[in-house]
Amino acid sequence: MSSVAVLTQESFAEHRSGLVPQQIKATLNSEEESDPPTYKDAFPPLPEKAACLESAQEPAGAWSNKIRPIKASVITQVFHVPLEERKYKDMNQFGEGEQAKICLEIMQRTGAHLELSLAKDQGLSIMVSGKLDAVMKARKDIVARLQTQASATVAIPKEHHRFVIGKNGEKLQDLELKTATKIQIPRPDDPSNQIKITGTKEGIEKARHEVLLISAEQDKRAVERLEVEKAFHPFIAGPYNRLVGEIMQETGTRINIPPPSVNRTEIVFTGEKEQLAQAVARIKKIYEEKKKKTTTIAVEVKKSQHKYVIGPKGNSLQEILERTGVSVEIPPSDSASETVILRGEPEKLGQALTEVYAKANSFTVSSVSAPSWLHRFIIGKKGQNLAKITQQMPKVHIEFTEGEDKITLEGPTEDVAVAQEQIESMVKDLVHRMDYVEISIDHRFHRHLIGKSGANINRIKDQYKVSVRIPPDSEKSNLIRIEGDPQGVQQAKRELLELASRMENERTKDLIIEQRFHRTIIGQKGERIREIRDKFPEVIINFPDPAQKSDIVQLRGPKNEVEKCTKYMQKMVADLVENSYSISVPIFKQFHKNIIGKGGANIKKIREESNTKIDLPAENSDSETIVITGKRANCEAARSRILSIQKDLANIAEVEVCIPARLHNSLIGTKGRLIRAIMEECGGVHIHFPVEGSGSDTVVIRGPSSDVEKARKQLLHLAEEKQTKSFTVDIRAKPEYHKFLIGKGGGKIRKVRDSTGARIIFPAAEDKDQDLITIIGKEDAVREAQRELEALIQNLDNVVEDSMLVDPKHHRHFVIRRGQVLREIAEEYGGVMVSFPRSGTQSDKVTLKGAKDCVEAAKKRIQEIIEDLEAQVTVECAIPQKFHRSVMGPKGSRIQQITRDHNVQIKFPDREENPVHSAEPAIQENGDEAGEGREAEPGSPRRCDIIIISGRKEKCEAAKEALEALVPVTIEVEVPFDLHRYIIGQKGSGIRKMMDEFEVNIHVPAPELQSDIIAITGLTANLDRAKAGLLERVRELQAEQEDRALRSFKLSVTVDPKYHPKIIGRKGAVITQIRLEHDVNIQFPDKDEGSQPQDQITITGYEKNTEAARDAILKIVGELEQMVSEDVPLDHRVHARIIGARGKAIRKIMDEFKVDIRFPQTGAPDPNCVTVTGLPENVEEAIDHILNLEEEYLADVVDSEALQGYLRPPVHEEAKGPSKGFVVRDAPWTASSSEKAPDMSSSEEFPSFGAQVAPKTLPWGPKR
């Protein structure tokens, strides 16, 4: 049984008293009295190299037993798996398959790094690197998963199994890791003594050896059990377990005596056999001796006093046993018996009995009557009141029982009497000056009585100095208890009842607001709803949870306030509804960039001026619709402005057609199919129908003039058909036939429409049913059109095969670019298949397969292409190379357009990097025809200027004209030189904006030329707009210059420098307000500039604004001159409380009294001096307020300091001398000046660990 030595207060005093005074003094002040160590003792020298070589085994110097070798945290182990033990030896590829996966898993799980290699004998070598734990775990996993497993059993006595397992299984885990095996030990209830070991042969041998070693070690030890009556256990253990501890120490045997609470009699001995026999003999001797000599007596002691006899942790029983040698047996706490048995030698029993009664009567229990509601006042805030009593009498235990009107005191009789007297006087005082009352208020109103973050209830508590206890919501109780000063209790009761009656008169109103507006009303981070709540503080506004999808917003508060709030919110919702009007404006896609403008300038301006939200479709979207949201009138205005931009940019006509409103839906068609077909057929015009329900008959058509007229006719014709009698039929055809049915440029379908008068609508790309073709019109017209189309479709379904002859020299044209020409023919002519002979064969036969009509049409188209190829000519167009880039356009868009329009091929020459300047004609900058120049002087165009056009002659000529029209022209505009830098803008942003907007190049002359001429180069169509834009920018800049001249008016004001900080304000708040309000710049004198007058403030801006700003500054100065400053002595201990957290409290006082309060800096001569500045009456009020605060806070400070005095540990009377730090004798720096200080850069004087030291070289050779 283990023994514990306890050092009590008394034994510590005895220990101290045994020391001689000199020893005590030396203990307290050892550093001052003892001699400092020598330098060599404190810093022992490193061992000499020679000494190490001569006697490596002997420690050299004091370092040898202090410095331990530094071990690396990362270790590496290599082990080998023989071929016959490899689990995955039939692999096709080393480093792949299941073995590689297992290695990756092990690395991820353990954090170790694995490297595998195959030896010559096909055995597996594994190198494992990492932390020790990780390496051991990885090794175990590798053996288990990569090596074939064997198993073996080892038999050891059953009682040795627990030693193999170890505490909490730790020994077994270590053994498994060390040997990389799995060790299975039978359960305690299993009679088997066989331990099973699974792993590699090597690992099994290691594990078996370790298990047998543990068993052999345990064989040397023995275990014996001795039956001893429970009553004699205390005698064997001895007082405080000292006796048994001595026996254990002397014999080296472990003795386990069951504790008093466990009802077992056997004592267990464990240890070496011989020593164990000695221990058992000694215990038996003590037992036999005590059995003969001891007798017992039984005495009655009150059950409540038993714990005092036992003492804390049984110390009193041990004390009696130590002093008298008598054991005291106390009945268990769950027993009703009061009999205490004393067992010992007869002559000692009397003394023990006296001590038992003394212990029993040393403590008493008493109670004080006190109403339960006063308990917390007696305890005090954070137990302050009770702490005063417990500090004086620490052995007294005071217990408060909830719901009972009494306080129980327990402890030494004298201390209990004193504590009882103090508590009774406290109760008497509290009963005299405290009162309580309970009021009933419906629990529904409790949270409103508490207020937001407890604002209402905290105000009542502070105002009336009472405590208000409101039950939690979960209790659903109506009872509220008020405790405190009788007068305060009555006043708080009156106010709470008034609040409750007012709440009963409140009303709740449900306001229906569409959920989509809730977020807008609440605002970002609740800003807007906070404004509403500040406006109507008595109204509680509750919004539903977004997940509920409810439109009901609940308002609660006084009737009049709720009505006002309802009207306010209804008006806000009406404004939101008005501002959520939305219209869609179709705008041709190519004009979207012009509507946006450079950097979004145009769209931003429209948004700001019309106060609307404008959403444009994404750049990669096919949509042309721009959505405008806002008030209806504003949306209409924005729409007009956007349409006017489109109209200005292109030749866009707008026509209004009157069609009865009842026909609008039928004209639009299902999902807009019918109207979309008309818009696509007429070149993509925009047709705008009025809003449904507006009653308007006006339909607006917008687009190029010719297309608008065509769409108008079709729309009126369709409306006429709908009015007479409309008939509809649907027919089906494969989507690949649609293009053939429509014909090139819509020729075939137009022919059917003209002959029958019916309208035929093909499906759009986004329609789900791509086979459906709809025919609309009069019944007979529709039937005829249906017959014609069905006949065409039937012909297309009859597949035929035909052939034609094509010269092999033209074959390449059809099959290049992955057969693009053939794909186009197939798409256009109903999916006809065209097969050219393989390359390398000299055949000229081309096979066509498909519908008869499609095949014929395809043959005709191929023949046309061949004719074009045979009639192809090459035309040269000479355009100076410097214009090639602008002719091509962005990403070659202009050239691509010309090749598409004229069906030609255009090839630009390679760029000439370093052109040789020869006698060449003047560059044609103004678009003069290159042809004329060439005729006048043949051979003059350079090769890098010639663009080659291939195609039919007439188309090549047209393409040449189109190219020459793209050659840029240059004009000059006169702009005053001083405005050039403003036109260029910051980092060229201004000039880039104009160049992008007008699609021209603007050249501004270099500053050193001082020229007023700006050159604009671009297409003729763009030059006029660019020139007008440039001149407009000049006019704006000239207006800005005039405005700057007016704004640069300066005015000086003379103000005493002492007022400058007040005019500037905290963080510049006051001066910033003046600057913003009057739109001026205010400059204060630089303190570091000695030559500058320090009382002059300079104001710059418009003359009128500078005068207004001056008046504002002089007004502040006038107020400051009336102010006074007073110094107030304020105890520095309360400064922090008055200032508050981050100065919040002092700012509140300064704002409330309109004064400035300055506290002394750290280290000021008078730390109590506080300066208050402001108007005389405000200063007096502020001083009174802070002096009242000082009085209140100072009382708390005094109480706190008094409490700290009790808590602070006793201070030694003798003052400690100042520390001298670490002192050594005979140090190198205390030697005579003749000795040289050590050279810190020398590797000989400061060698690194393990490094070779080079011998120091002297001018005439090494030392001998």
Side-chain angles (χ1 to χ4, degrees):
M1 190 173 189
S2 62
S3 62
V4 179
V6 180
L7 190 64
T8 61
Q9 197 80 21
E10 294 79 5
S11 61
F12 178 70
E14 278 178 57
H15 171 70
R16 288 295 301 272
S17 63
L19 294 171
V20 292
Q22 287 81 0
Q23 285 176 313
I24 296 168
K25 189 175 181 183
T27 307
L28 291 172
N29 204 1
S30 60
E31 281 188 17
E32 287 80 345
E33 297 299 323
S34 61
D35 287 336
T38 64
Y39 179 78
K40 284 192 176 180
D41 289 340
F43 303 102
L46 288 168
E48 292 291 329
K49 186 178 179 184
C52 291
L53 292 170
E54 285 167 15
S55 56
Q57 293 182 358
E58 288 183 18
W63 287 97
S64 58
N65 58 359
K66 290 185 181 178
I67 294 179
R68 292 181 182 175
I70 297 168
K71 290 185 181 177
S73 62
V74 176
I75 66 159
T76 301
Q77 282 191 7
V78 180
F79 53 95
H80 190 72
V81 180
L83 175 64
E84 60 274 11
E85 290 184 22
R86 279 179 57 196
K87 192 178 278 188
Y88 301 98
K89 52 190 171 190
D90 301 325
M91 291 188 305
N92 297 328
Q93 184 73 32
F94 180 70
E96 291 182 2
E98 195 64 30
Q99 182 172 281
K101 286 181 187 173
I102 288 168
C103 289
L104 279 171
E105 280 177 31
I106 292 169
M107 285 199 287
Q108 286 170 358
R109 199 168 67 78
T110 63
H113 178 68
L114 306 186
E115 286 185 23
L116 276 72
S117 60
L118 273 178
K120 285 182 181 178
D121 61 356
Q122 293 300 301
L124 193 65
S125 291
I126 303 166
M127 186 168 76
V128 188
S129 305
K131 298 279 178 74
L132 181 62
D133 290 351
V135 168
M136 297 305 284
K137 285 178 185 172
R139 182 169 171 240
K140 185 185 171 188
D141 280 4
I142 289 164
V143 166
R145 299 179 69 180
L146 295 183
Q147 204 165 350
T148 53
Q149 303 290 295
S151 65
T153 57
V154 59
I156 63 169
K158 186 79 176 174
E159 58 267 23
H160 295 174
H161 286 193
R162 62 193 184 94
F163 297 104
V164 177
I165 295 166
K167 190 179 179 183
N168 298 326
E170 286 174 6
K171 193 159 189 177
L172 182 64
Q173 286 173 12
D174 289 346
L175 193 57
E176 285 182 335
L177 279 174
K178 192 174 168 185
T179 61
T181 57
K182 175 70 181 167
I183 302 170
Q184 291 173 295
I185 295 173
R187 295 178 64 80
D189 51 4
D190 187 346
S192 171
N193 64 352
Q194 298 284 335
I195 294 176
K196 187 179 178 184
I197 307 169
T198 309
T200 62
K201 287 179 185 176
E202 185 189 352
I204 288 170
E205 285 304 317
K206 280 186 186 176
R208 190 169 178 279
H209 176 69
E210 291 288 340
V211 169
L212 289 172
L213 268 180
I214 292 166
S215 180
E217 194 180 321
Q218 293 307 315
D219 277 336
K220 295 177 187 175
R221 300 175 69 81
V223 177
E224 191 169 330
R225 290 174 171 78
L226 180 66
E227 289 287 336
V228 176
E229 288 178 53
K230 187 81 177 171
F232 293 96
H233 284 190
F235 297 113
I236 290 164
Y240 301 106
N241 292 328
R242 283 183 201 143
L243 183 56
V244 77
E246 285 171 16
I247 295 168
M248 284 164 68
Q249 196 171 356
E250 287 171 14
T251 62
T253 305
R254 188 177 173 192
I255 304 169
N256 183 16
I257 300 173
S261 56
V262 178
N263 192 20
R264 279 169 56 197
T265 57
E266 68 176 11
I267 297 172
V268 182
F269 300 79
T270 311
E272 300 289 340
K273 289 179 180 176
E274 291 177 10
Q275 294 169 334
L276 184 140
Q278 290 176 21
V280 171
R282 286 183 65 176
I283 297 289
K284 276 184 180 176
K285 186 181 176 186
I286 293 166
Y287 173 46
E288 295 297 335
E289 193 179 320
K290 290 292 178 186
K291 206 171 180 183
K292 286 177 187 174
K293 290 184 180 179
T294 57
T295 58
T296 60
I297 59 166
V299 292
E300 296 295 317
V301 177
K302 284 183 187 176
K303 190 75 179 173
S304 60
Q305 292 178 324
H306 284 192
K307 59 183 175 181
Y308 308 130
V309 176
I310 296 167
K313 296 181 182 177
N315 277 350
S316 296
L317 293 179
Q318 296 295 331
E319 200 178 313
I320 294 167
L321 181 62
E322 185 180 30
R323 286 183 187 173
T324 64
V326 174
S327 166
V328 181
E329 295 168 25
I330 307 287
S333 56
D334 53 358
S335 166
S337 171
E338 294 186 341
T339 304
V340 175
I341 296 168
L342 282 75
R343 186 182 303 275
E345 295 175 15
E347 63 272 16
K348 302 280 182 73
L349 287 173
Q351 185 188 345
L353 184 60
T354 307
E355 289 208 17
V356 166
Y357 277 120
K359 297 281 183 192
N361 295 320
S362 63
F363 280 73
T364 185
V365 178
S366 180
S367 64
V368 176
S369 294
S372 59
W373 66 274
L374 283 177
H375 286 187
R376 60 198 193 85
F377 295 104
I378 293 165
I379 293 166
K381 192 175 182 182
K382 294 182 181 177
Q384 283 178 352
N385 296 347
L386 206 60
K388 290 174 185 174
I389 298 170
T390 54
Q391 280 170 8
Q392 291 172 15
M393 288 151 286
K395 292 184 180 177
V396 176
H397 173 68
I398 304 169
E399 189 178 334
F400 294 83
T401 310
E402 194 175 346
E404 289 187 17
D405 292 343
K406 70 170 184 177
I407 302 166
T408 308
L409 290 85
E410 187 179 315
T413 312
E414 292 176 7
D415 288 357
V416 166
V418 176
Q420 184 175 349
E421 189 183 335
Q422 288 186 13
I423 290 172
E424 280 175 349
S425 66
M426 203 185 287
V427 169
K428 190 176 179 183
D429 176 53
L430 286 168
V431 168
H432 177 69
R433 62 184 180 83
M434 300 285 277
D435 194 7
Y436 79 94
V437 70
E438 289 181 343
I439 56 174
S440 180
I441 294 174
D442 194 324
H443 69 271
R444 289 178 298 132
F445 303 138
H446 287 187
R447 66 191 185 96
H448 304 298
L449 290 175
I450 293 166
K452 191 176 181 182
S453 304
N456 288 351
I457 206 71
N458 287 339
R459 180 186 55 78
I460 291 168
K461 284 178 181 177
D462 294 343
Q463 190 173 342
Y464 302 119
K465 304 286 186 277
V466 293
S467 170
V468 183
R469 303 185 72 187
I470 297 174
D473 289 344
S474 55
E475 289 183 16
K476 305 288 183 189
S477 171
N478 295 342
L479 212 62
I480 294 175
R481 186 183 179 95
I482 310 166
E483 300 167 355
D485 178 66
Q487 188 179 351
V489 165
Q490 293 305 318
Q491 288 174 330
K493 175 187 173 184
R494 197 179 309 115
E495 183 163 342
L496 284 172
L497 289 172
E498 280 176 14
L499 280 170
S501 64
R502 204 182 308 155
M503 283 172 197
E504 285 172 358
N505 296 328
E506 282 181 351
R507 65 168 292 190
T508 302
K509 186 168 184 177
D510 289 342
L511 192 61
I512 295 172
I513 299 172
E514 285 182 63
Q515 198 184 31
R516 64 192 174 109
F517 295 129
H518 289 189
R519 211 165 177 182
T520 314
I521 292 168
I522 292 166
Q524 194 174 14
K525 295 181 181 175
E527 287 174 2
R528 292 185 74 175
I529 197 66
R530 207 176 294 122
E531 286 175 18
I532 299 169
R533 283 177 175 147
D534 291 344
K535 200 175 182 74
F536 305 99
E538 294 182 56
V539 179
I540 295 162
I541 304 165
N542 287 325
F543 283 85
D545 193 293
Q548 293 176 357
K549 305 287 183 190
S550 172
D551 293 342
I552 297 170
V553 177
Q554 193 180 70
L555 309 181
R556 181 182 176 82
K559 188 176 178 181
N560 294 340
E561 289 297 306
V562 166
E563 288 300 326
K564 286 179 189 174
C565 186
T566 303
K567 285 178 184 174
Y568 182 82
M569 289 185 75
Q570 282 173 340
K571 185 177 182 299
M572 183 187 278
V573 171
D575 290 344
L576 287 173
V577 170
E578 188 182 355
N579 287 329
S580 63
Y581 177 77
S582 178
I583 56 170
S584 300
V585 187
I587 297 292
F588 292 101
K589 193 78 178 179
Q590 63 264 36
F591 300 129
H592 282 202
K593 63 175 183 178
N594 304 95
I595 287 161
I596 295 167
K598 179 70 176 172
N602 290 356
I603 201 75
K604 189 178 178 183
K605 191 176 180 184
I606 296 169
R607 280 173 180 151
E608 287 173 357
E609 290 180 4
S610 62
N611 194 22
T612 55
K613 182 187 174 189
I614 302 171
D615 295 316
L616 287 97
E619 198 173 336
N620 54 1
S621 164
D622 294 332
S623 172
E624 295 185 335
T625 306
I626 294 173
V627 180
I628 308 168
T629 310
K631 289 186 178 179
R632 184 165 188 157
N634 294 350
C635 288
E636 293 294 342
R639 178 170 170 268
S640 303
R641 287 193 61 173
I642 289 170
L643 289 173
S644 68
I645 291 171
Q646 180 180 248
K647 200 169 183 181
D648 293 345
L649 289 168
N651 181 24
I652 301 296
E654 190 176 290
V655 173
E656 291 183 355
V657 184
C658 191
I659 296 171
R662 59 191 170 80
L663 296 176
H664 289 184
N665 281 345
S666 59
L667 289 175
I668 292 166
T670 311
K671 294 183 180 177
R673 279 186 70 197
L674 197 53
I675 202 68
R676 195 165 57 242
I678 295 171
M679 286 159 68
E680 286 172 2
E681 194 177 324
C682 300
V685 296
H686 291 149
I687 301 173
H688 179 70
F689 283 82
V691 180
E692 194 175 353
S694 63
S696 173
D697 294 341
T698 306
V699 178
V700 179
I701 308 169
R702 195 179 296 107
S705 305
S706 56
D707 293 338
V708 164
E709 186 56 34
K710 189 176 173 184
R712 187 181 74 83
K713 286 178 182 176
Q714 286 204 24
L715 203 59
L716 288 170
H717 178 66
L718 190 60
E720 192 181 332
E721 282 182 1
K722 291 282 181 188
Q723 275 182 311
T724 51
K725 192 174 182 183
S726 180
F727 185 72
T728 305
V729 165
D730 291 338
I731 62 171
R732 292 187 173 274
K734 292 178 184 176
E736 55 264 31
Y737 293 164
H738 290 188
K739 276 195 175 181
F740 184 75
L741 292 173
I742 293 165
K744 194 171 182 181
K748 283 189 179 179
I749 207 69
R750 199 180 299 113
K751 190 178 175 184
V752 174
R753 188 183 293 150
D754 293 345
S755 64
T756 61
R759 170 165 294 282
I760 301 157
I761 300 165
F762 285 85
E766 60 268 19
D767 289 343
K768 285 183 181 177
D769 195 346
Q770 290 290 307
D771 292 356
L772 198 68
I773 301 170
T774 306
I775 310 169
I776 301 170
K778 292 178 183 176
E779 188 173 356
D780 52 346
V782 168
R783 293 293 181 197
E784 193 179 338
Q786 183 183 1
R787 277 194 299 274
E788 287 191 26
L789 280 175
E790 282 175 347
L792 284 169
I793 292 163
Q794 194 174 356
N795 287 340
L796 291 172
D797 286 337
N798 297 329
V799 177
V800 296
E801 192 171 317
D802 201 353
S803 64
M804 63 183 293
L805 300 176
V806 177
D807 194 324
K809 68 178 181 182
H810 299 310
H811 287 194
R812 188 172 177 277
H813 174 79
F814 289 95
V815 297
I816 58 169
R817 298 193 299 278
R818 297 181 183 177
Q820 188 179 341
V821 176
L822 293 180
R823 278 202 307 276
E824 287 172 2
I825 291 170
E827 282 177 16
E828 197 170 341
Y829 299 104
V832 68
M833 288 173 63
V834 183
S835 300
F836 276 77
R838 287 175 180 272
S839 60
T841 59
Q842 292 302 310
S843 173
D844 58 356
K845 186 181 178 183
V846 176
T847 308
L848 295 92
K849 189 177 181 181
K852 189 178 179 183
D853 293 349
C854 293
V855 167
E856 289 301 323
K859 280 171 71 176
K860 191 178 176 183
R861 175 65 186 136
I862 290 170
Q863 201 59 48
E864 284 174 7
I865 292 168
I866 292 166
E867 285 173 14
D868 284 349
L869 290 170
E870 288 176 346
Q872 190 168 312
V873 296
T874 301
V875 173
E876 291 183 355
C877 176
I879 294 175
Q881 191 185 46
K882 67 174 183 177
F883 297 130
H884 286 189
R885 185 174 285 181
S886 64
V887 168
M888 286 180 188
K891 295 180 183 177
S893 58
R894 291 174 182 166
I895 290 300
Q896 288 166 14
Q897 187 64 41
I898 292 171
T899 55
R900 279 198 300 271
D901 291 349
H902 302 287
N903 194 20
V904 294
Q905 290 181 356
I906 300 171
K907 187 176 185 301
F908 278 78
D910 292 333
R911 189 170 183 80
E912 191 175 291
E913 294 299 329
N914 297 308
V916 179
H917 293 286
S918 57
E920 291 182 2
I923 293 166
Q924 302 149 352
E925 291 198 3
N926 292 315
D928 298 332
E929 290 219 348
E932 291 172 11
R934 200 163 60 239
E935 284 169 16
E937 196 174 345
S940 62
R942 297 176 300 165
R943 284 183 64 187
C944 62
D945 294 342
I946 294 171
I947 300 167
I948 297 167
I949 308 166
S950 304
R952 282 183 174 268
K953 189 176 180 182
E954 62 276 11
K955 290 184 177 179
C956 286
E957 291 298 332
K960 183 181 176 183
E961 286 177 18
L963 278 173
E964 288 170 347
L966 292 174
V967 176
V969 180
T970 303
I971 60 168
E972 293 180 345
V973 182
E974 193 173 337
V975 175
F977 173 74
D978 60 329
L979 297 179
H980 286 194
R981 61 196 182 99
Y982 301 111
I983 287 167
I984 293 167
Q986 193 173 17
K987 294 182 181 177
S989 59
I991 202 152
R992 269 200 308 276
K993 181 183 174 185
M994 291 176 72
M995 283 158 67
D996 291 343
E997 189 177 344
F998 302 117
E999 295 179 8
V1000 294
N1001 181 39
I1002 301 172
H1003 175 70
V1004 179
E1008 56 268 18
L1009 297 175
Q1010 299 280 315
S1011 172
D1012 291 345
I1013 304 299
I1014 290 179
I1016 306 173
T1017 305
L1019 301 181
T1020 314
N1022 297 338
L1023 289 176
D1024 292 339
R1025 286 196 305 120
K1027 183 179 178 181
L1030 183 60
L1031 293 173
E1032 178 61 33
R1033 178 66 181 143
V1034 169
R1035 282 193 289 275
E1036 285 176 12
L1037 290 170
Q1038 285 172 342
E1040 283 176 16
Q1041 275 186 332
E1042 291 172 13
D1043 185 58
R1044 270 199 298 274
L1046 291 171
R1047 284 179 67 90
S1048 59
F1049 179 79
K1050 284 190 178 181
L1051 186 68
S1052 292
V1053 187
T1054 304
V1055 175
D1056 193 322
K1058 69 179 181 182
Y1059 296 133
H1060 289 189
K1062 292 290 180 187
I1063 295 167
I1064 293 166
R1066 190 167 179 269
K1067 293 183 181 178
V1070 177
I1071 202 69
T1072 303
Q1073 180 66 28
I1074 296 170
R1075 281 175 180 146
L1076 294 173
E1077 197 174 322
H1078 301 289
D1079 190 23
V1080 293
N1081 181 32
I1082 302 169
Q1083 195 70 36
F1084 283 82
D1086 190 349
K1087 290 180 182 177
D1088 300 331
E1089 189 66 47
S1091 59
Q1092 193 178 353
Q1094 292 296 304
D1095 59 354
Q1096 293 293 315
I1097 299 174
T1098 308
I1099 309 169
T1100 310
Y1102 293 118
E1103 187 176 357
K1104 183 173 69 175
N1105 293 0
T1106 56
E1107 289 171 357
R1110 178 196 61 193
D1111 295 343
I1113 289 169
L1114 292 174
K1115 185 183 177 186
I1116 292 168
V1117 171
E1119 290 173 0
L1120 291 170
E1121 284 173 346
Q1122 293 176 17
M1123 289 185 179
V1124 296
S1125 286
E1126 279 195 36
D1127 291 340
V1128 187
L1130 203 68
D1131 196 304
H1132 66 276
R1133 292 175 293 175
V1134 300
H1135 286 191
R1137 287 281 301 273
I1138 291 170
I1139 293 166
R1142 296 183 182 177
K1144 193 175 179 182
I1146 198 67
R1147 277 201 300 278
K1148 189 177 177 184
I1149 294 168
M1150 291 196 290
D1151 292 344
E1152 187 180 342
F1153 295 101
K1154 294 182 176 58
V1155 293
D1156 181 58
I1157 302 172
R1158 297 284 168 192
F1159 286 82
Q1161 296 288 334
T1162 308
D1166 185 359
N1168 298 330
C1169 183
V1170 175
T1171 306
V1172 185
T1173 307
L1175 295 172
E1177 59 274 15
N1178 293 351
V1179 168
E1180 286 178 19
E1181 288 178 17
I1183 289 170
D1184 289 345
H1185 181 71
I1186 59 175
L1187 287 173
N1188 289 338
L1189 288 176
E1190 179 198 27
E1191 190 178 338
E1192 184 183 332
Y1193 295 156
L1194 208 52
D1196 292 347
V1197 170
V1198 171
D1199 290 348
S1200 176
E1201 286 179 353
L1203 183 61
Q1204 289 298 322
Y1206 288 112
L1207 298 176
R1208 196 177 295 121
V1211 182
H1212 295 296
E1213 287 182 14
E1214 60 274 8
K1216 286 186 180 180
S1219 174
K1220 292 181 182 178
F1222 181 63
V1223 180
V1224 293
R1225 291 179 291 121
D1226 305 332
W1229 53 86
T1230 60
S1232 61
S1233 58
S1234 62
E1235 285 191 27
K1236 193 181 174 185
D1239 179 10
M1240 294 181 70
S1241 62
S1242 166
S1243 61
E1244 185 181 359
E1245 294 186 5
F1246 291 92
S1248 60
F1249 289 105
Q1252 291 291 329
V1253 181
K1256 193 170 182 181
T1257 308
L1258 295 174
W1260 25 76
K1263 285 183 180 179
R1264 297 201 180 272

